[in-house]
Amino acid sequence: MTFSCKPLEFLWNKDDGSLTTEYFAALSASIHMFSAGITYAWIIPSLPRLLTDEYPFEITRDEASYVAIVSSLGFIAGCVSSSYLIDVIGRKKTILLMTVPQVLSFLMIYLSFYSKVLLYLGRISGGIGEGSAMSVVCLYAAEIASPSHRGVIVNLTTISNVIACLFMNVLGSLVDIYTASLACLVFPILQWLTFTPMPESPYYLLIKGNVEDATRSLRSLRRKLDVDVELETMKADVDRQMSEKGGYKDLFGVPANRRALLLMTCFRFFHLFSGMVAIAAYAQVLFESLRIPPAIGTSLIMFVNMLMFMSANFFIDRYGRKRLLIASSAVIASFLLAIGIFFLVREVTSIDLNNYSWLLFTMVTIYYIFLSVGVSPVVGVFASELFSASVKGQGATLGGLVYAICTMVSIKFYQFTSDHLGRAVPFFTFAIVTIGAVIFYIRTVPETKGKTLESIQEELKCSSGETSAEITKTDYVV
């Protein structure tokens, strides 16, 4: 017995049960996330260049902060449009379509030596691609992955984002803004070449009632001829979830959806107000006092960051999401407090800490180690698991809005408090928020390790206080 589909025959005309196709599809989708990581990290090496005569237009520190955060406006647009498109044209076509604003972003930044306006427009366009990647790629990876390997496969998309940050920091430190922009054009093109033949999510195909294509997709992903049992289970799960109401009103009105939205909002808030984006954006400025070049210092941190993300694959499906989230957040809070004390002593007292700049570098490195091995990958996995199929688009949209708003506020908060109140203030604030996060995680976060997407939904219903009768009345079409 054989089966085939010409675009992917070389991948799915197999019956070996391996995970090859799942990983290949996830890695290909992750190129979209890689381009998003370039947009995210672009400001790290570029900010010092914008503040010098190398850039043809004068950029003040205040303007530079807006160059850093303006991509969040595009991020919102990318989240909203992608969250709509994933249920209209599918996960796969949305990812392919949203490579276009990434291409335009790199082109406009390259041409920004003609006009400062193009710099802002390029950042906004890149933000659209970034918002799309954050909304769709993890969702696609979660829906194509086997439950026992979902954490690892979803985390691959996050790893690609971290690798992109390291890549952009090194590239942007070695070449000028314009040359770096041209080099980055390679990745959206590579995205098209590798992802076009990949299978669509079987969940999406079942949502659209296309059982035949869903069967072919699942066979290619699992590399098995016999997928009837899993397909029937998946179909029953999708039918049940799609029988629920699926508008924004129901995202807030249905207790399980409301709980998922609350968790998502808190995850995003605590993640971003742990200082992740703000510290990264101003990393090279932060390390100006180091005896090694700031670009090398930030690159070393990002390299360690990348290694920790990769090691998170070992922990995330072995020890569970919740335990990893709590432990890493507790350590992060401790080092944020320590960094705040370092700056407080340096700025308020007469103690000379110039010979101890290595200590600051060490503390920031450890901060990023625990951020990368716990909080960041776990939040990414949770984001792909929480919402029912009927409201995934709406949930992704609101999650993206929270992400964008928190990004803008945290970066501007860091810049304003650092310039006017001292660098200790933002670090103490981030530490207090992260301590609150630890308490929240202990009290409210469910464990999703090894569970199917359907069982996670049932647990959310139970946690939100819905009884069996209420579930039947509210969620099923009679």
Side-chain angles (χ1 to χ4, degrees):
M1 179 179 180
T2 61
F3 60 89
S4 67
C5 181
K6 291 181 181 179
L8 273 178
E9 189 170 0
F10 75 101
L11 280 177
W12 76 25
N13 196 16
K14 303 287 184 180
D15 190 25
D16 56 14
S18 74
L19 298 171
T20 303
T21 308
E22 289 183 33
Y23 277 97
F24 198 95
L27 287 170
S28 180
S30 295
I31 301 175
H32 189 40
M33 189 72 86
F34 187 92
S35 297
I38 290 174
T39 298
Y40 166 79
W42 180 89
I43 196 66
I44 300 174
S46 302
L47 184 64
R49 293 180 181 273
L50 292 174
L51 296 173
T52 66
D53 293 336
E54 178 180 326
Y55 192 68
F57 303 101
E58 182 181 357
I59 300 286
T60 65
R61 290 182 68 88
D62 194 50
E63 284 180 313
S65 72
Y66 288 111
V67 173
I69 67 177
V70 74
S71 62
S72 296
L73 298 177
F75 190 100
I76 294 172
C79 284
V80 172
S81 58
S82 295
S83 298
Y84 170 77
L85 290 171
I86 59 174
D87 290 330
V88 176
I89 64 175
R91 283 62 161 152
K92 174 183 171 179
K93 289 181 180 178
T94 299
I95 291 174
L96 290 172
L97 179 63
M98 286 299 171
T99 60
V100 175
Q102 291 176 328
V103 170
L104 293 176
S105 171
F106 299 135
L107 286 175
M108 284 189 283
I109 291 175
Y110 172 74
L111 296 172
S112 68
F113 63 89
Y114 289 116
S115 172
K116 189 192 299 186
V117 174
L118 287 175
L119 177 62
Y120 288 95
L121 291 177
R123 291 286 291 158
I124 292 172
S125 184
I128 294 174
E130 186 184 0
S132 167
M134 295 296 180
S135 299
V136 186
V137 175
C138 286
L139 172 63
Y140 175 81
E143 290 185 347
I144 66 170
S146 303
S148 60
H149 294 84
R150 190 172 60 245
V152 174
I153 289 176
V154 172
N155 196 38
L156 282 175
T157 65
T158 310
I159 290 173
S160 68
N161 192 275
V162 177
I163 295 174
C165 292
L166 175 60
F167 169 82
M168 187 63 223
N169 190 64
V170 173
L171 179 67
S173 299
L174 294 176
V175 301
D176 59 49
I177 291 172
Y178 317 112
T179 305
S181 299
L182 287 179
C184 292
L185 280 171
V186 172
F187 299 103
I189 297 171
L190 184 62
Q191 171 77 59
W192 267 92
L193 293 175
T194 61
F195 194 63
T196 297
M198 291 298 106
E200 176 59 272
S201 159
Y203 271 88
Y204 168 75
L205 295 170
L206 289 173
I207 289 171
K208 292 300 181 181
N210 196 336
V211 179
E212 184 178 347
D213 283 349
T215 303
R216 284 198 292 267
S217 175
L218 196 59
R219 283 175 173 174
S220 76
L221 291 166
R222 302 296 183 261
R223 295 171 70 94
K224 292 180 181 179
L225 291 168
D226 184 9
V227 294
D228 292 345
V229 174
E230 182 177 3
L231 184 69
E232 285 302 313
T233 301
M234 190 179 293
K235 186 176 183 300
D237 294 347
V238 169
D239 288 344
R240 190 207 63 76
Q241 293 179 34
M242 292 306 297
S243 69
E244 301 173 351
K245 298 177 181 180
Y248 281 100
K249 179 180 178 181
D250 303 293
L251 188 60
F252 292 93
V254 176
N257 294 339
R258 188 168 60 244
R259 176 171 168 76
L261 180 61
L262 173 64
L263 289 171
M264 172 57 62
T265 301
C266 292
F267 285 146
R268 292 300 190 195
F269 173 79
F270 289 132
H271 186 204
L272 291 162
F273 274 87
S274 67
M276 178 192 74
V277 178
I279 296 172
Y282 284 87
Q284 289 203 14
V285 177
L286 185 68
F287 294 144
E288 286 173 346
S289 61
L290 287 179
R291 293 183 178 179
I292 60 175
I296 295 178
T298 53
S299 295
L300 287 173
I301 288 178
M302 289 180 182
F303 179 73
V304 173
N305 196 20
M306 180 184 69
L307 294 179
M308 291 303 101
F309 260 102
M310 291 179 176
S311 67
N313 274 337
F314 173 80
F315 297 106
I316 203 165
D317 275 332
R318 190 175 297 261
Y319 297 109
R321 283 74 151 143
K322 183 172 182 176
R323 187 184 304 175
L324 201 57
L325 190 63
I326 293 169
S328 61
S329 295
V331 177
I332 286 169
S334 300
F335 277 90
L336 286 169
L337 284 172
I339 295 169
I341 292 171
F342 179 91
F343 281 117
L344 184 66
V345 171
R346 194 174 78 173
E347 294 171 354
V348 175
T349 72
S350 59
I351 300 175
D352 185 6
L353 294 178
N354 288 332
N355 292 328
Y356 295 91
S357 58
W358 60 268
L359 179 59
L360 172 63
F361 177 79
T362 301
M363 291 189 293
V364 174
T365 301
I366 296 174
Y367 160 84
Y368 270 107
I369 286 175
F370 282 91
L371 187 73
S372 303
V373 80
V375 176
S376 291
V378 172
V379 168
V381 172
F382 269 128
S384 66
E385 295 177 329
L386 288 176
F387 290 104
S388 169
S390 61
V391 293
K392 276 188 176 180
Q394 293 84 353
T397 298
L398 293 183
L401 289 174
V402 172
Y403 182 94
I405 292 170
C406 289
T407 295
M408 288 189 289
V409 174
S410 64
I411 291 177
K412 191 61 182 176
F413 173 80
Y414 181 92
Q415 179 264 323
F416 180 84
T417 53
S418 294
D419 290 349
H420 299 283
L421 301 176
R423 287 184 175 174
V425 173
F427 285 98
F428 282 138
T429 304
F430 294 148
I432 292 170
V433 171
T434 307
I435 291 170
V438 173
I439 298 171
F440 176 83
Y441 297 148
I442 292 172
R443 293 173 60 89
T444 65
V445 173
E447 179 57 74
T448 62
K449 171 190 171 184
K451 298 177 181 177
T452 65
L453 297 179
E454 172 65 10
S455 65
I456 294 170
Q457 289 305 307
E458 291 301 324
E459 184 173 342
L460 287 172
K461 289 180 182 294
C462 294
S463 299
S464 61
E466 290 182 83
T467 64
S468 298
E470 288 172 329
I471 293 172
T472 302
K473 179 180 178 181
T474 302
D475 299 332
Y476 289 87
V477 178
V478 179

Coordinates of all heavy atoms in Angstrom, one line a residue, residues 21 61 122 161 193 223 233-234 285 303 321 334 368 404 417 431 437 454 462:
T21 N 9.5 14.6 9.1 CA 8.6 15.6 8.5 C 8.2 16.6 9.5 O 8.1 17.8 9.1 CB 7.4 14.9 7.8 OG1 7.9 13.9 6.9 CG2 6.7 16.0 7.0
R61 N 18.6 60.8 21.3 CA 18.3 59.6 22.2 C 16.8 59.4 22.3 O 16.4 58.2 22.3 CB 18.9 59.8 23.5 CG 20.5 59.8 23.6 CD 21.0 59.9 25.0 NE 20.7 58.7 25.8 CZ 21.4 57.6 25.9 NH1 22.5 57.5 25.1 NH2 21.1 56.6 26.6
G122 N 10.2 51.3 7.4 CA 10.9 50.0 7.4 C 10.7 49.2 8.7 O 10.5 48.0 8.7
N161 N 14.5 32.2 16.7 CA 14.4 33.7 17.0 C 15.7 34.1 17.7 O 16.2 35.2 17.4 CB 13.1 33.9 17.8 CG 12.8 35.4 17.9 OD1 13.4 36.1 18.8 ND2 11.9 35.9 17.1
L193 N 11.2 29.2 -0.6 CA 11.7 28.0 -1.2 C 11.5 26.8 -0.4 O 11.1 25.7 -0.9 CB 13.2 28.2 -1.5 CG 13.5 29.3 -2.6 CD1 15.0 29.4 -2.7 CD2 12.9 28.9 -3.9
R223 N 4.5 10.3 9.1 CA 5.2 9.3 8.2 C 4.6 7.9 8.5 O 5.4 6.9 8.7 CB 6.7 9.3 8.4 CG 7.3 10.7 8.0 CD 8.7 10.8 8.4 NE 9.6 9.9 7.6 CZ 10.3 10.3 6.5 NH1 10.1 11.5 6.0 NH2 11.1 9.4 5.9
T233 N -9.6 10.9 16.5 CA -9.5 11.7 17.8 C -9.4 13.2 17.6 O -10.0 14.0 18.2 CB -8.3 11.2 18.6 OG1 -8.4 9.8 18.9 CG2 -8.2 11.9 19.9
M234 N -8.5 13.5 16.6 CA -8.3 14.9 16.3 C -9.6 15.5 15.7 O -10.0 16.6 16.0 CB -7.2 15.0 15.2 CG -6.7 16.5 15.0 SD -5.4 16.5 13.8 CE -4.1 15.7 14.7
V285 N 24.6 49.8 24.7 CA 24.7 51.1 25.5 C 25.0 50.8 26.9 O 25.8 51.4 27.6 CB 23.4 51.9 25.4 CG1 23.5 53.2 26.2 CG2 23.2 52.3 23.9
F303 N 25.1 34.4 22.4 CA 25.6 33.0 22.2 C 25.2 32.1 23.3 O 24.7 31.0 23.1 CB 27.1 33.0 22.0 CG 27.6 31.6 21.7 CD1 27.4 31.0 20.5 CD2 28.4 31.0 22.6 CE1 27.9 29.7 20.2 CE2 28.9 29.7 22.4 CZ 28.7 29.1 21.2
R321 N 6.3 22.4 32.3 CA 6.4 23.8 32.0 C 6.3 24.6 33.3 O 7.1 25.5 33.5 CB 5.2 24.2 31.2 CG 5.2 23.9 29.7 CD 5.0 22.4 29.4 NE 4.4 22.2 28.1 CZ 4.8 21.2 27.3 NH1 5.7 20.3 27.7 NH2 4.1 21.0 26.2
S334 N 16.0 37.6 41.3 CA 17.2 37.8 42.2 C 18.3 38.6 41.5 O 18.9 39.5 42.1 CB 17.8 36.4 42.6 OG 16.8 35.7 43.3
Y368 N 20.2 36.3 31.5 CA 19.7 35.8 30.2 C 19.7 34.3 30.1 O 18.9 33.6 29.4 CB 20.5 36.4 29.1 CG 19.9 37.7 28.6 CD1 20.5 38.9 28.9 CD2 18.8 37.7 27.8 CE1 20.0 40.1 28.4 CE2 18.2 38.8 27.4 CZ 18.8 40.0 27.7 OH 18.3 41.2 27.2
A404 N 2.7 43.7 22.0 CA 3.2 45.0 21.4 C 3.1 46.1 22.4 O 4.0 46.9 22.5 CB 2.3 45.3 20.2
T417 N 13.3 56.2 32.5 CA 13.8 56.1 33.9 C 15.3 56.1 34.0 O 15.9 56.6 34.9 CB 13.2 54.9 34.6 OG1 13.5 53.7 33.8 CG2 11.7 55.0 34.8
A431 N 12.4 43.7 38.7 CA 12.5 42.7 39.8 C 11.2 42.5 40.5 O 10.8 41.4 40.8 CB 13.7 43.0 40.7
A437 N 5.3 37.7 39.5 CA 5.1 36.7 38.5 C 5.2 35.3 39.2 O 4.4 34.4 38.9 CB 6.0 36.8 37.3
E454 N -6.8 19.0 23.4 CA -8.1 18.8 23.9 C -8.2 18.7 25.4 O -9.0 19.3 26.1 CB -8.8 17.6 23.2 CG -10.1 17.3 23.8 CD -11.2 18.3 23.5 OE1 -11.0 19.3 22.8 OE2 -12.3 18.2 24.1
C462 N -12.5 22.9 33.7 CA -12.7 22.6 35.1 C -12.1 23.6 36.1 O -12.7 23.9 37.1 CB -12.0 21.2 35.4 SG -12.7 19.8 34.5

